Amino acid sequence: MSNLDKGIRVIVAAVVALLYYFNVIEGTLAYILMAVAIILLVTSLINFCPLYRVLGISTCKIKN
């Protein structure tokens, strides 16, 4: 994963957490978005996205 990809994931997770904290989102939508935010945060911390592997996507620039 590239640094830009990780940064975007962390920012999206933080925005979802803030929306939940300030009660902008609530109910089932809030729980779904929080689950997605947690997944984004964990994948950015471990530098691996299983969905990228399945789809054959790589955002990491490899130098030869």
Side-chain angles (χ1 to χ4, degrees), residues 4-63:
L4 178 63
D5 191 10
K6 290 187 284 188
I8 290 171
R9 288 171 181 260
V10 170
I11 290 170
V12 169
V15 168
V16 170
L18 288 172
L19 290 174
Y20 180 74
Y21 180 76
F22 290 113
N23 293 323
V24 176
I25 56 174
E26 53 189 31
T28 305
L29 176 64
Y31 293 126
I32 292 170
L33 289 178
M34 287 299 286
V36 170
I38 290 169
I39 292 168
L40 289 175
L41 190 59
V42 168
T43 57
S44 69
L45 293 174
I46 63 172
N47 295 327
F48 177 72
C49 181
L51 189 58
Y52 281 4
R53 177 71 53 122
V54 171
L55 297 176
I57 299 171
S58 175
T59 59
C60 183
K61 295 181 181 179
I62 300 172
K63 295 180 182 178

